[in-house]
Each structure stands twice: as C-alpha cells, then as structure tokens.
Amino acid sequence: MPLILLGCQSKILSNPPPTVITHPEVKKSLDINKPNLSSPLVVMPSVLTKEGYRIAPMAKLTGPLNLKDNCLMIGDQAVVFPAETTSWDAQNQILTIRKTKYRLGDTMSVGGGEYSYAALQPQPKINCKVDKVWLM
C-alpha cells in the first residue's frame, strides 16, 4: 500500500501598522509643550492614519462635567480632549466640542478609553495630579 503524504503551508499575512500623522490644522496651531496652564482644558492631537481616519478607542464614559483642581473632568475622570474640535470659554465656563456646548454640571457621554498618564506620547501638560486619564 503506497503511503501518500499531503501537506499544506500557510503564510501568515499581517497588515502593517497604520502610518500615523498629526492632523494638519493641529500641526500649525497647537504646541502641547507650551500649554495654557491657567486653562483646565487638556488637549492632544488626534492620531490619523495616512488615509485620514482617526484612531480612537471606543469605550464610553458618562458623568457630569466638573472642574476639580483646575482640570476638566467627567465624573471623577480627568479627560484629554481632541485638540482639533474642543475649546474652553473660561469666562462663561463652557466647554465646546464641535458645535455642542456643555456647562459645568451637564451630563456628558463620550467615547474613548482610560490610559496611564505616564504612557501617553506625546504627553499633554495637565494641571492636576492624576495617574490615569480618559483619552477621547
């Protein structure tokens, strides 16, 4: 009886990691190494693929917007907002994300994820002492 051996070979295909670029408007206008430390708003440029897609975690954080130790927080979580779409009106204490305005005490639900502050690169300057931040 003849012995027949059959075999197959598989090649593991992997996609290369996305090429990341900083949003062009942020490159022109934002220097996270020279933040306005009088502002409680902490921002970081969004990371984009070379095709222009934003890379972001998709967990959900819900809670009231509040100001603690000169940091904007949702609930008890310090938040790093996307630089391209977020502003803070210090006089009226209004946070604007895209065209939506939030006052202190308003309930917010945002996508993102919790990260060790020390692990963020580039590391945004933050006014309060925290170990973890919510990155939108």
Side-chain angles (χ1 to χ4, degrees):
M1 173 176 277
L3 179 63
I4 300 175
L5 296 174
L6 298 174
C8 63
Q9 179 179 3
S10 81
K11 181 178 179 184
I12 297 175
L13 299 175
S14 63
N15 293 331
T19 302
V20 295
I21 58 172
T22 301
H23 191 283
E25 292 303 310
V26 174
K27 277 186 179 177
K28 290 191 287 188
S29 65
L30 178 69
D31 182 354
I32 66 168
N33 295 316
K34 296 179 184 173
N36 177 357
L37 292 179
S38 64
S39 173
L41 178 65
V42 179
V43 296
M44 188 170 178
S46 295
V47 176
L48 305 176
T49 66
K50 66 181 176 180
E51 295 83 15
Y53 296 106
R54 184 168 176 251
I55 299 172
M58 296 304 295
K60 184 177 178 182
L61 175 66
T62 300
L65 177 66
N66 65 75
L67 188 59
K68 181 179 177 185
D69 298 328
N70 201 32
C71 280
L72 285 173
M73 320 230 352
I74 297 177
D76 61 356
Q77 182 74 63
V79 179
V80 177
F81 296 92
E84 305 82 19
T85 58
T86 310
S87 64
W88 173 249
D89 176 345
Q91 182 176 350
N92 297 306
Q93 294 195 320
I94 295 175
L95 176 71
T96 303
I97 302 175
R98 290 179 187 85
K99 294 180 181 180
T100 305
K101 297 184 183 304
Y102 300 94
R103 294 185 180 280
L104 296 179
D106 288 350
T107 297
M108 296 181 67
S109 288
V110 299
E114 184 179 73
Y115 292 86
S116 162
Y117 174 69
L120 291 180
Q121 294 299 324
Q123 194 171 58
K125 301 300 182 212
I126 193 166
N127 295 324
C128 54
K129 190 169 186 148
V130 294
D131 294 324
K132 296 181 185 262
V133 294
W134 186 267
L135 183 60
M136 283 181 59

